[in-house]
Amino acid sequence: MTWSCLTHESHATGLDRNELGALLVAAGLGPPAEHALISLLALNGLRVSEATGTSIEPLGVERGHRTLVVTRKGGKVVTVPLAPRTARAIDLAVGERSEGPVFLAADGRRLDRHGAGRIVRRVARRAGIAKPVGPHTLRHAFITAALDAGVSL
């Protein structure tokens, strides 16, 4: 067996700290739902399917932190503490609604991963980022930032 079989090299496009900051600023200047989606992906590290699968009803507060119940890959249900910026963005995106999906498509149905990908690419263009950026790029940036900060996997 060769060493190349034993190592995994990610082909995800990376964002540096400045690009991630520019993306978050651009998201904050757009509609509230775009800001909330980008924040969940970049500041909370959710997978795109986890973000688009979120609903309003499981938004809560635990030990003084805003939380969101998320169904992870494999069906595991977990409570995720939200970054303050993410919680504010979600509140604005939800508005007066008290039930249903957090993220709605233009037709009023739940936003799907393809729609989320279009939003991420649009916000990246607005931020002046020329390289390809998708939802997984933001998860990758979140994990890289966490590792750089000394958080263990």
Side-chain angles (χ1 to χ4, degrees), residues 17-118:
R17 189 178 304 244
N18 292 334
E19 290 168 326
L20 187 57
L23 188 75
L24 288 164
V25 167
L29 296 173
E34 287 185 2
H35 188 203
L37 178 66
I38 298 294
S39 296
L40 268 178
L41 298 172
L43 300 177
N44 288 91
L46 266 61
R47 290 178 175 89
V48 67
S49 59
E50 295 167 349
T52 58
T54 59
S55 293
I56 296 168
E57 297 88 348
L59 281 167
V61 177
E62 279 187 32
R63 289 183 248 154
H65 293 282
R66 291 293 304 282
T67 60
L68 179 62
V69 175
V70 174
T71 303
R72 294 268 189 215
K73 192 174 177 179
K76 184 177 181 185
V77 177
V78 298
T79 300
V80 177
L82 297 174
R85 179 180 185 151
T86 305
R88 285 190 302 274
I90 288 174
D91 288 342
L92 289 172
V94 166
E96 298 299 315
R97 295 183 294 132
S98 59
E99 60 182 24
V102 169
F103 300 106
L104 297 173
D107 63 4
R109 292 187 294 191
R110 181 181 294 275
L111 183 70
D112 65 12
R113 64 187 184 91
H114 301 290
R118 286 189 292 275

